């Protein structure tokens, strides 16, 4: 994909969209929990605020990528979901309930795909942070050692899952029973519909990295794990 640079018009629009979404959300105060309760008073879902500024993940992920990925793709899933559920049996239902109720049902595939993508992306933004990566906190480190032998093997498996997922999808660190596992899912699929509890995820759809890394998905995956991955978020999810 050819980029024509940071044209002021496009960047300006993306920033305004981002800021409008953030302030609208703050105004409704509807984002009480994570990440299921993202619906506003009228039952429609709103785009959850990013947990950091759109340039906070640079240079690993550019503000331009965040502008499209969050401002266009994530917003698009929210908008589509609202259209698809309006006036129907899923209107007003919590996001996680919609996902589990529609999973594997052909007649609801549109709702499932958009609902799961809303949830997966909110989870993905939380799975990274500026100055992330590094050594996991002790409790998570011990769990990695119990489950994989050592931290390095856990990271190696997560890297391999993210790199080898064929086509669009996600790599996940999950808790299954009392052990950690690494999994990968295609398209909008999510471990939420299984007995495994998601702890963190890496988006490996091309839109997550193509502007910054083009076809070099392994470079994106390595940089995210080394420099952005939010081990504290994974640990917090483990305890829930
Ligand atoms: Mn994505």
């Amino acid at each position: 994909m050819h980029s024509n640079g940071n044209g002021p018009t496009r960047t300006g629009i993306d920033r305004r969209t981002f800021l409008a979404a953030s302030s609208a959300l703050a105004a409704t105060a509807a984002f009480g929990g994570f990440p299921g309760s993202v619906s506003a008073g009228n039952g429609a879902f709103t785009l959850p605020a990013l947990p950091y500024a759109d340039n906070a993940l640079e240079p690993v992920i550019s503000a331009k990528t965040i502008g499209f990925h969050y401002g266009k793709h994530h917003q698009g899933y929210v908008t589509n979901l609202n259209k698809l559920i309006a006036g129907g049996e899923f209107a007003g239902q919590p996001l996680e309930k919609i996902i589990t109720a529609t999973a594997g049902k052909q007649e609801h595939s549109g709702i499932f795909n958009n609902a799961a993508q809303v949830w997966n992306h909110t989870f993905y933004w939380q799975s990274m942070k500026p100055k992330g990566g590094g050594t996991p906190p002790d409790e998570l480190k011990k769990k990695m050692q119990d489950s994989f032998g050592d931290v390095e093997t856990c990271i190696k498996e997560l890297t391999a899952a993210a790199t080898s997922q064929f086509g669009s999808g996600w790599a996940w660190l999950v808790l299954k029973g009392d052990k950690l596992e690494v999994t990968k899912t295609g398209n909008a699929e999510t471990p939420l519909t299984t007995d495994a509890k998601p702890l963190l995820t890496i988006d490996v759809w091309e839109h997550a990295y193509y502007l910054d890394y083009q076809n070099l998905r392994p470079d994106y995956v390595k940089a995210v794990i080394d420099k952005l991955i939010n081990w504290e978020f994974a640990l917090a999810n483990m305890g829930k």
Side-chain angles (χ1 to χ4, degrees):
M1 186 185 291
H2 178 71
S3 156
N4 61 359
N6 293 312
T9 305
R10 175 167 288 182
T11 303
I13 288 167
D14 285 340
R15 279 184 194 280
R16 278 196 299 278
T17 305
F18 166 70
L19 291 171
S22 304
S23 57
L25 192 75
T28 62
F31 190 48
F34 176 84
S37 54
V38 288
S39 58
N42 61 1
F45 289 98
T46 52
L47 182 65
L50 272 183
Y52 31 71
D54 63 352
N55 63 356
L57 304 184
E58 291 188 340
V60 178
I61 298 177
S62 67
K64 187 169 183 177
T65 288
I66 298 278
F68 282 100
H69 197 180
Y70 172 75
K72 305 293 183 191
H73 291 272
H74 197 181
Q75 176 66 67
Y77 296 125
V78 172
T79 303
N80 288 338
L81 176 62
N82 285 333
K83 281 183 192 158
L84 288 166
I85 63 173
E89 62 182 297
F90 299 110
Q93 298 285 322
L95 186 59
E96 294 187 11
K97 197 172 168 193
I98 295 173
I99 293 167
T100 51
T102 56
K105 296 186 174 146
Q106 191 54 43
E107 69 275 24
H108 293 314
S109 62
I111 293 177
F112 172 81
N113 285 335
N114 284 282
Q117 284 294 79
V118 170
W119 194 95
N120 290 350
H121 280 88
T122 305
F123 200 73
Y124 167 64
W125 304 126
Q126 303 275 338
S127 296
M128 301 182 288
K129 63 173 189 178
K131 300 195 176 84
T135 307
D138 284 349
E139 205 182 326
L140 181 61
K141 192 171 158 183
K142 189 177 177 309
K143 202 75 169 173
M144 287 176 172
Q145 289 164 341
D146 290 348
S147 307
F148 294 93
D150 52 47
V151 173
E152 292 68 30
T153 304
C154 176
I155 290 175
K156 206 170 147 188
E157 288 199 17
L158 184 62
T159 304
T163 307
S164 67
Q165 165 59 29
F166 184 77
S168 298
W170 303 83
W172 305 84
L173 181 66
V174 301
L175 184 66
K176 192 167 178 182
D178 65 348
K179 293 281 189 191
L180 299 179
E181 287 184 11
V182 164
T183 61
K184 54 187 178 179
T185 60
N187 299 316
E189 293 294 330
T190 170
L192 268 190
T193 61
T194 72
D195 59 354
K197 182 192 288 187
L199 301 183
L200 62 76
T201 193
I202 301 172
D203 188 341
V204 296
W205 284 58
E206 285 187 347
H207 65 225
Y209 59 88
Y210 224 81
L211 290 175
D212 298 327
Y213 298 86
Q214 290 76 53
N215 59 321
L216 303 177
R217 189 197 288 183
D219 290 2
Y220 155 76
V221 169
K222 181 174 172 23
V224 165
I225 292 176
D226 287 351
K227 295 174 181 158
L228 299 180
I229 207 80
N230 189 345
W231 296 128
E232 286 73 21
F233 177 65
L235 177 60
N237 288 322
M238 206 168 80
K240 280 175 193 165

